[in-house]
C-alpha cells in the first residue's frame, strides 16, 4: 500500500492529536448531561463554557454570543432562516429582501431558495472571472426592504476571499441612510484556519464556523450571533444554548471545537510555508500540463487552495486515477456529484460545462510536505496524458 | 473501500480498445446531456460482422470502463447480435457499479447502436 497523500483539506481535516486527547474524557468518564444539576452534569457545563470562552476569545466577542450547533450547515440555516423569520414577525411583513452570492455553499443557497418559495425576495449576486463579488453590484442590489446579506468569507472550491470589510462598511452606511438595519452574515468555514476572524474588525453580525475543517471532530459547528440580532430558533425543545438551539449539547464535540480553535495560531511563518508549497504546486502544474489553467483569483485566495481546469481530462477520472496512486483530491465535475450537476461555483466564474467537467481541486493543510507536492507533480502529468489519449484530446 | 469494482478500475487504467480507427465504416458519437460525458465508437465491418472496434471517451472512470468493455462484447459479433447488446450486459460484466453511474453503460450502448446505424446508412 502506497503512503497516502491527502490533498483534500477543504473537504475535511484529520483530527489534531491534542484535540483528540481533549475529547476522550468527555466520551468516557465525564458523560454527564450539562442540564443536570449534580456534579457530573455541572462538570460538563463548565467544560462547555470553557470551550465557549475559547471561541469568544478567538472571534473577539462575548461568550454568550456563541451558539453551538451540530454543523456549519445547521449554523447557516439558523442564521438565514432564523433572522428572516424573526424579522418577518417583527416587521409584520413577508416582503423582505435578502442578498447572497451565486458561489455560496449549498448550506446557504438551499435555505435561501426555500425562503424564496415562502415569499422572501432573494438576490444572488454574480461574481467576476476572479470569483469575487463587486461592491458596486452589491450596492445596486440593496433595496429599502433588504434585511440580510450573506456572503461567504472564503470559497470552499476556489478559495477566493471576498471583501468582507468593504461589504460591512457599505452595509453600515446603507443601514443608516435607509434607517433600517441590514444584518450581515458570513460563512467563514474555510477562512478560520488562515484569515483574521475578529468579528468587530470584520463588522459582521453573524458568522458560521465548523470544527472538522480546523482539525477538530465532525458533527459540531457554531454560530456567532451578535447581541441584539433578531433570531427565531429553528430547533425547539429543552431550551439549551439560550433557547436558540435546543438539544442536549454535544459535550465532546464542543470541547473538541474549543481545543481546535485554541490550536490555530496564525503564525505568519507557517502560512508563508503553506503558501510556498501551494505556489510550487500551482506553478508546477501550469508548467508541466499544457493548457491547464487556474480557476479563480490567484491573489485574493486562501493559501491552501488550488483549483484547475485541465481540458481533455475529466475530473472524476483524474480523482479516481490519483486515488490509485494514493493521492486524495476533489473535482467540480458533474460526474462526481450525486445530482450529476457541474459545480455551480465554476459555472458562476463563467466557465463552460466542459471546463467544469475537467476541473481538479487540490487543497493543502497542516501536514502537507514538500515531497508530497513533488509526488503529485510527478504523477499528475502522466495521468492527464493518459486520459487525454483516451479522450482523443488534441489542442485546439 | 472503493466506489468501483476491480474490473472497472482495471479497464479504466488499462483500456484495451482505446483509439481511433482510420477510415472507419461507422462512427457512433454520443454525449450525455446531463453530466457532459462524450463517447465515440469506431467500427470496421466485414461480412456483416464487427471486425474491429475502438473508442474514445471524455468521461469518468465508469464511462471509460463501459466503452472499453462494450468494444470487447461487440468484437466479432454480427451486426444483428451487436445491436442487441444492452446496458445490463455491460453493467453485469463490470461488477459493482454505483447506481448514479448506470447512465455510463446506457451511453456506451447508445454509442455502439449509433455506430452500427451509421455503417448501415453509409452502405445504403
Amino acid at each position: 500500500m502506497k503512503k497516502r497523500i491527502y490533498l483534500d483539506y477543504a473537504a475535511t481535516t484529520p483530527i489534531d492529536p491534542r484535540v483528540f486527547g481533549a475529547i476522550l474524557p468527555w466520551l468516557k468518564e465525564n458523560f454527564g448531561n450539562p442540564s443536570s444539576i449534580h456534579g457530573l452534569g455541572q462538570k460538563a457545563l463548565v467544560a462547555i463554557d470553557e470551550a465557549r470562552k475559547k471561541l469568544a476569545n478567538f472571534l473577539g466577542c462575548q461568550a454568550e454570543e456563541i451558539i453551538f450547533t451540530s454543523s456549519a450547515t445547521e449554523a447557516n440555516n439558523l442564521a438565514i432562516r432564523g433572522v428572516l423569520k424573526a424579522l418577518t414577525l417583527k416587521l409584520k411583513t413577508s416582503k423582505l429582501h435578502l442578498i447572497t452570492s451565486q458561489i455560496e455553499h449549498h448550506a446557504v443557497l438551499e435555505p435561501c431558495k426555500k425562503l424564496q418559495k415562502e415569499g422572501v425576495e432573494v438576490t444572488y449576486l454574480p461574481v467576476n472571472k476572479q470569483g469575487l463579488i463587486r461592491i458596486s453590484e452589491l450596492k445596486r442590489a440593496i433595496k429599502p426592504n433588504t434585511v440580510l446579506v450573506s456572503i461567504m468569507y472564503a470559497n470552499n472550491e476556489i478559495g477566493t476571499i471576498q471583501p468582507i470589510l468593504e461589504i460591512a462598511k457599505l452595509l453600515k452606511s446603507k443601514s443608516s441612510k435607509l434607517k433600517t438595519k441590514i444584518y450581515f452574515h458570513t460563512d467563514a468555514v474555510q477562512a478560520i484556519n488562515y484569515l483574521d476572524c475578529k468579528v468587530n474588525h470584520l463588522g459582521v453580525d453573524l458568522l458560521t464556523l465548523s470544527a472538522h475543517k480546523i482539525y477538530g471532530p465532525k458533527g459540531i459547528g457554531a454560530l456567532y450571533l451578535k447581541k441584539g440580532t433578531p433570531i427565531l430558533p429553528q430547533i425547539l425543545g429543552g431550551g439549551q444554548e439560550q433557547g436558540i438551539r435546543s438539544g442536549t449539547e454535544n459535550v465532546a464535540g464542543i470541547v473538541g471545537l474549543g481545543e481546535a480553535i485554541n490550536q490555530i495560531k496564525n503564525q505568519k511563518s507557517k502560512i508563508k510555508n503553506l503558501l510556498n508549497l501551494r505556489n510550487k504546486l500551482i506553478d508546477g502544474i501550469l508548467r508541466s500540463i499544457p493548457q491547464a489553467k487556474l480557476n479563480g483569483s490567484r491573489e485574493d485566495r486562501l493559501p491552501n487552495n488550488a483549483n484547475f481546469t485541465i481540458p481533455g481530462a475529466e475530473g472524476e477520472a483524474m480523482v479516481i486515477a490519483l486515488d490509485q496512486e494514493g493521492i486524495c483530491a476533489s473535482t467540480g465535475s458533474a460526474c462526481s456529484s450525486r445530482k450529476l450537476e457541474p459545480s455551480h461555483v465554476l459555472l458562476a466564474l463563467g466557465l463552460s460545462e466542459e471546463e467544469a467537467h475537467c476541473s481538479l481541486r487540490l487543497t493543502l493543510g497542516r501536514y502537507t510536505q514538500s515531497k508530497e507536492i513533488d509526488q503529485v507533480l510527478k504523477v499528475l502529468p502522466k495521468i492527464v496524458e493518459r486520459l487525454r489519449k483516451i479522450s482523443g484530446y488534441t489542442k485546439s | 473501500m472503493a466506489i468501483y469494482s476491480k474490473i472497472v478500475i482495471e479497464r479504466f487504467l488499462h483500456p484495451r480498445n482505446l483509439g481511433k480507427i482510420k477510415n472507419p465504416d461507422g462512427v457512433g458519437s454520443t454525449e450525455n446531456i446531463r453530466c457532459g460525458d462524450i463517447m465515440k465508437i469506431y467500427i470496421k465491418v466485414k461480412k456483416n460482422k464487427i471486425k474491429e472496434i475502438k473508442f474514445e471517451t471524455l468521461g469518468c472512470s465508469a464511462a471509460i470502463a463501459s466503452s472499453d468493455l462494450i468494444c470487447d462484447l461487440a468484437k466479432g459479433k454480427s451486426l444483428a447480435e451487436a445491436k442487441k447488446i444492452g446496458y445490463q450486459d455491460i453493467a453485469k460484466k463490470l461488477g459493482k457499479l454505483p447506481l448514479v453511474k448506470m447512465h455510463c453503460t446506457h451511453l456506451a450502448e447508445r454509442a455502439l447502436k449509433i455506430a452500427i446505424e451509421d455503417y448501415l446508412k453509409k452502405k445504403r
Side-chain angles (χ1 to χ4, degrees):
Chain A
M1 186 72 188
K2 286 187 196 87
K3 203 169 173 245
R4 190 171 53 210
I5 296 176
Y6 186 76
L7 289 173
D8 202 13
Y9 282 85
T12 195
T13 55
I15 198 156
D16 182 291
R18 288 159 295 194
V19 173
F20 186 67
I23 286 174
L24 278 182
W26 304 97
L27 291 170
K28 288 159 84 181
E29 60 271 24
N30 300 335
F31 61 87
N33 185 329
S35 295
S36 302
I37 57 169
H38 49 65
L40 201 59
Q42 290 303 294
K43 197 170 178 179
L45 185 62
V46 169
I48 289 176
D49 283 342
E50 255 155 42
R52 204 186 302 280
K53 274 183 216 151
K54 284 175 189 165
L55 264 73
N57 186 38
F58 181 83
L59 297 173
C61 67
Q62 305 292 312
E64 57 270 29
E65 292 175 313
I66 303 291
I67 310 295
F68 290 115
T69 61
S70 67
S71 60
T73 293
E74 192 200 321
N76 282 336
N77 274 264
L78 173 61
I80 292 164
R81 285 192 71 78
V83 168
L84 260 296
K85 290 292 168 187
L87 288 173
T88 299
L89 285 177
K90 193 177 152 194
L91 304 172
K92 296 188 176 68
T93 168
S94 64
K95 273 288 153 220
L96 297 176
H97 177 227
L98 96 86
I99 301 172
T100 184
S101 85
Q102 291 177 1
I103 65 164
E104 297 299 309
H105 192 276
H106 290 295
V108 166
L109 290 177
E110 292 303 318
C112 288
K113 283 188 212 160
K114 181 83 193 308
L115 283 168
Q116 218 172 349
K117 280 187 194 145
E118 293 165 15
V120 172
E121 280 181 71
V122 183
T123 301
Y124 301 91
L125 288 178
V127 292
N128 62 20
K129 278 195 173 122
Q130 302 296 310
L132 301 167
I133 66 147
R134 293 187 188 87
I135 294 292
S136 58
E137 256 166 320
L138 172 60
K139 202 171 179 177
R140 271 204 301 277
I142 295 170
K143 304 197 283 187
N145 61 338
T146 306
V147 291
L148 179 69
V149 172
S150 178
I151 303 284
M152 70 200 326
Y153 199 163
N155 184 266
N156 49 307
E157 291 187 40
I158 53 174
T160 53
I161 301 165
Q162 301 300 335
I164 298 296
L165 296 180
E166 282 178 71
I167 297 170
K169 214 173 109 188
L170 173 70
L171 295 183
K172 207 175 162 191
S173 87
K174 279 279 182 184
S175 291
S176 62
K177 246 182 238 159
L178 294 168
K179 294 195 177 77
T180 49
K181 165 89 177 154
I182 304 170
Y183 293 92
F184 184 19
H185 166 248
T186 190
D187 175 349
V189 163
Q190 298 287 341
I192 300 290
N193 273 325
Y194 308 110
L195 306 178
D196 172 25
C197 287
K198 297 284 185 224
V199 288
N200 284 338
H201 181 228
L202 294 179
V204 297
D205 302 293
L206 305 99
L207 178 146
T208 294
L209 61 90
S210 170
H212 79 100
K213 309 284 191 191
I214 57 170
Y215 308 91
K218 292 167 184 64
I220 186 75
L223 180 68
Y224 156 72
L225 180 68
K226 190 177 187 168
K227 220 178 269 174
T229 305
I231 194 118
L232 197 73
Q234 300 297 304
I235 295 178
L236 306 176
Q240 289 88 345
E241 297 299 291
Q242 303 167 65
I244 293 167
R245 200 282 183 185
S246 285
T248 296
E249 298 87 340
N250 173 359
V251 181
I254 290 170
V255 168
L257 173 54
E259 187 57 29
I261 279 276
N262 224 21
Q263 295 298 334
I264 298 173
K265 290 161 191 117
N266 282 328
Q267 288 154 340
K268 286 210 169 103
S269 64
K270 273 196 183 154
I271 291 184
K272 186 85 203 299
N273 195 22
L274 188 66
L275 196 61
N276 286 341
L277 286 180
R278 199 279 312 269
N279 287 341
K280 177 175 153 174
L281 178 68
I282 291 179
D283 293 332
I285 286 178
L286 295 181
R287 202 180 307 126
S288 61
I289 301 177
Q291 265 69 49
K293 68 179 185 59
L294 184 72
N295 293 320
S297 165
R298 182 150 179 177
E299 291 74 34
D300 298 309
R301 189 186 198 100
L302 290 176
N304 75 322
N305 177 293
N307 187 313
F308 305 94
T309 285
I310 303 179
E314 191 279 321
E316 193 261 16
M318 283 193 275
V319 171
I320 295 293
L322 284 167
D323 192 34
Q324 294 302 306
E325 300 288 336
I327 300 166
C328 303
S330 167
T331 173
S333 166
C335 295
S336 80
S337 96
R338 249 173 261 176
K339 292 185 226 156
L340 285 181
E341 279 164 9
S343 147
H344 65 285
V345 175
L346 297 178
L347 296 184
L349 290 184
L351 265 65
S352 65
E353 297 211 356
E354 294 99 281
E355 288 169 311
H357 200 212
C358 298
S359 68
L360 181 71
R361 181 186 75 176
L362 297 164
T363 45
L364 292 66
R366 200 182 275 174
Y367 306 110
T368 305
Q369 294 168 23
S370 188
K371 62 177 187 209
E372 295 179 322
I373 301 299
D374 292 334
Q375 180 63 13
V376 173
L377 292 176
K378 199 176 123 193
V379 165
L380 186 60
K382 287 182 199 158
I383 288 173
V384 170
E385 207 186 314
R386 192 171 63 75
L387 291 175
R388 282 178 167 175
K389 211 178 271 171
I390 294 176
S391 71
Y393 175 78
T394 42
K395 299 181 255 187
S396 50
Chain B
M1 266 316 285
I3 66 165
Y4 293 124
S5 69
K6 278 189 180 143
I7 304 164
V8 174
I9 294 293
E10 172 58 27
R11 293 249 172 203
F12 164 60
L13 292 177
H14 310 288
R16 302 155 203 186
N17 305 296
L18 161 67
K20 276 189 181 71
I21 294 179
K22 263 192 193 164
N23 308 316
D25 296 325
V27 182
S29 180
T30 180
E31 183 174 347
N32 184 315
I33 47 161
R34 277 189 75 196
C35 71
D37 282 359
I38 302 167
M39 214 178 264
K40 262 186 190 170
I41 287 191
Y42 303 84
I43 53 169
K44 274 267 187 202
V45 181
K46 203 172 178 183
K47 290 183 188 159
N48 229 26
K49 279 188 178 171
I50 294 182
K51 198 185 141 226
E52 209 187 334
I53 176 165
K54 287 195 168 180
F55 81 94
E56 283 179 332
T57 293
L58 172 62
C60 66
S61 24
I64 291 170
S66 297
S67 29
D68 191 47
L69 186 88
I70 201 168
C71 292
D72 276 346
L73 292 180
K75 212 178 285 174
K77 292 237 166 73
S78 72
L79 293 179
E81 284 171 323
K83 263 208 244 178
K84 279 190 211 144
I85 297 171
Y87 68 91
Q88 306 93 329
D89 302 314
I90 306 168
K92 214 187 287 167
K93 290 257 181 188
L94 286 179
K96 190 186 87 172
L97 205 58
L99 208 55
V100 66
K101 290 293 175 188
M102 279 305 284
H103 70 275
C104 301
T105 61
H106 290 256
L107 202 62
E109 177 192 326
R110 203 162 69 223
L112 176 61
K113 288 201 162 102
I114 297 171
I116 294 170
E117 282 307 314
D118 183 50
Y119 162 74
L120 293 172
K121 215 190 299 167
K122 279 181 190 159
K123 215 182 96 184
R124 254 177 250 144

